[in-house]
Amino acid sequence: MRRNWAARLREITIEGMRALVLENERLRVTVLADKGGDVVEFLHKPSDTDLVWLSPQGLRRPLPPQAADDVGAFVDHYEGGWQEVFPNGGAPSVYRGARLAQHGEVAGLPWSVEVLTDTAREVAVRLAVRTRRLPYRVEKTFRLASGTAALEVEGRVTNEAPVALHAMWGHHLAFGRPFLRPGARIRVPEGVRVIPHATSIDPRGRRAEELFTVPPPGSPSEIVYLTGFDTGWYEVASQVGLRVEWDAEVMPYLWLWQELGGSTDWPWWGGAYVVGLEPFSSMPTDGLSAAVDNGTAMLLGPAQSRTSRLRVEVIA
């Protein structure tokens, strides 16, 4: 029986793509199964606040990029939202002869769907996909219980090859308006270290010394990497609060990306006001080959799997 109360699950179509809506009394979460398993809505219903950033270019069904480059493959169809990033993080990279695009491969692929639980107490769905250039299987299970403002995500990656392979694995969580406002505060555990990206991503220079208060529109862009987490968590205090928890043993880095409307050329054209707080297995945002070179890439043996957990909660 279809429910309009407590925990509920329904399938919809957005721009011709299969999507799933997990909902309860406090949250509505929309997941694009046909595009990377992206979370394109994380709505706190009591305050009518959506926490995900939505790109000005909107949601587009993935098509071959109009320009033959490995950055456009991601950016041309980047609607904002929250992506799974695997097995390449950041810039295009070549790994053992396989050319991997920006944040490739799973963010642009359709995922299969299996409904695990559909009761008034809890709904749960498992999405799964196989990468095309490297022999991996990736799964993620979304769970939403009645009465909570927390989404649980359980991830699993498996090397299906008879040889060991490297990978980068991350959660590309991007926050924007109406949740994100100038003056919002970011909290992380004591003792966490900041590693600036090797070069500035803004011609006006760095602002690594003032990372934890969200600045006004037009401020310089920045990206740094945080590490040294005993337990993986951060909080964002805005008009509503947010807490994200994850397995720091699996993902010991938190990428902090700030694009605040100061980039007036492609691809943002001055229209992005977004902060990414992204748990990652590896760094930097220069692709898998760079992570292999610096020793931060994950290594999975033949038939080996790794699992991780992510919890995203609104604190009203």
Side-chain angles (χ1 to χ4, degrees), residues 47-108:
S47 64
D48 194 30
T49 302
D50 191 3
L51 279 69
V52 305
W53 177 65
L54 298 177
S55 165
Q57 73 181 9
L59 179 60
R60 302 172 177 178
R61 185 178 181 88
L63 295 169
Q66 297 303 303
D69 70 82
D70 287 337
V71 175
F74 178 83
V75 174
D76 282 358
H77 307 103
Y78 177 47
E79 78 286 355
W82 301 346
Q83 286 78 33
E84 194 88 3
V85 175
F86 188 90
N88 183 63
S93 185
V94 177
Y95 174 70
R96 295 172 66 170
R99 188 176 182 92
L100 303 173
Q102 174 91 10
H103 288 324
E105 299 181 62
V106 300

Side-chain angles (χ1 to χ4, degrees), residues 247-293:
D247 292 337
E249 289 188 3
V250 179
M251 298 183 181
Y253 299 96
L254 180 68
W255 295 12
L256 172 51
W257 165 54
Q258 297 180 337
E259 175 50 60
L260 305 163
S263 297
T264 56
D265 295 329
W266 182 87
W268 310 121
W269 306 114
Y273 188 77
V274 54
V275 170
L277 287 158
E278 309 166 25
F280 254 92
S281 65
S282 319
M283 59 159 285
T285 182
D286 293 331
L288 178 55
S289 61
V292 172
D293 289 344

Side-chain angles (χ1 to χ4, degrees), residues 9 27 48 61 69 98 104 106 111 136 160 181 194 222 236 248:
L9 174 69
L27 289 181
D48 194 30
R61 185 178 181 88
D69 70 82
V106 300
W111 295 50
Y136 282 110
E160 297 188 320
R181 295 180 179 179
V194 176
E222 185 61 275
V236 181

Side-chain angles (χ1 to χ4, degrees), residues 199-217:
T199 58
S200 174
I201 63 171
D202 193 297
R204 294 170 291 174
R206 312 301 300 258
R207 36 177 306 276
E209 72 284 353
E210 47 181 80
L211 293 169
F212 299 106
T213 298
V214 177

Side-chain angles (χ1 to χ4, degrees), residues 289-305:
S289 61
V292 172
D293 289 344
N294 69 21
T296 65
M298 293 174 55
L299 181 65
L300 288 89
Q304 183 182 1
S305 296

Side-chain angles (χ1 to χ4, degrees), residues 6-255:
R8 59 262 204 195
L9 174 69
R10 65 190 59 168
E11 182 175 323
I12 63 173
T13 301
I14 303 176
E15 298 293 332
M17 292 179 283
R18 185 183 188 186
L20 304 162
V21 180
L22 296 82
E23 188 171 3
N24 66 8
E25 303 90 339
R26 302 179 68 186
L27 289 181
R28 186 172 69 233
V29 181
T30 300
V31 179
L32 276 180
D34 276 356
K35 183 185 178 296
D38 290 5
V39 175
V40 293
E41 179 186 40
F42 192 93
L43 180 74
H44 180 240
K45 294 164 67 173
S47 64
D48 194 30
T49 302
D50 191 3
L51 279 69
V52 305
W53 177 65
L54 298 177
S55 165
Q57 73 181 9
L59 179 60
R60 302 172 177 178
R61 185 178 181 88
L63 295 169
Q66 297 303 303
D69 70 82
D70 287 337
V71 175
F74 178 83
V75 174
D76 282 358
H77 307 103
Y78 177 47
E79 78 286 355
W82 301 346
Q83 286 78 33
E84 194 88 3
V85 175
F86 188 90
N88 183 63
S93 185
V94 177
Y95 174 70
R96 295 172 66 170
R99 188 176 182 92
L100 303 173
Q102 174 91 10
H103 288 324
E105 299 181 62
V106 300
L109 295 176
W111 295 50
S112 66
V113 175
E114 178 185 3
V115 176
L116 302 180
T117 307
D118 187 2
T119 68
R121 179 174 295 180
E122 180 186 79
V123 291
V125 291
R126 178 185 295 133
L127 277 63
V129 68
R130 282 187 168 87
T131 55
R132 295 175 177 177
R133 298 199 173 182
L134 296 180
Y136 282 110
R137 176 179 170 86
V138 183
E139 303 167 69
K140 56 181 173 181
T141 299
F142 294 91
R143 295 184 184 275
L144 183 63
S146 175
T148 72
L151 177 70
E152 306 272 354
V153 184
E154 304 158 10
R156 182 182 182 90
V157 295
T158 302
N159 175 11
E160 297 188 320
V163 296
L165 294 171
H166 291 93
M168 300 175 77
W169 189 13
H171 300 289
H172 193 280
L173 306 182
F175 303 99
R177 294 186 174 104
F179 166 68
L180 191 74
R181 295 180 179 179
R185 294 286 297 169
I186 299 167
R187 293 184 58 239
V188 297
E190 293 290 335
V192 168
R193 304 188 309 277
V194 176
I195 305 172
H197 190 61
T199 58
S200 174
I201 63 171
D202 193 297
R204 294 170 291 174
R206 312 301 300 258
R207 36 177 306 276
E209 72 284 353
E210 47 181 80
L211 293 169
F212 299 106
T213 298
V214 177
S219 299
S221 307
E222 185 61 275
I223 185 165
V224 302
Y225 314 98
L226 310 182
T227 192
F229 292 88
D230 291 331
T231 57
W233 67 266
Y234 63 79
E235 294 180 348
V236 181
S238 192
Q239 73 272 28
V240 298
L242 166 76
R243 183 176 175 93
V244 175
E245 300 174 353
W246 74 95
D247 292 337
E249 289 188 3
V250 179
M251 298 183 181
Y253 299 96
L254 180 68
W255 295 12

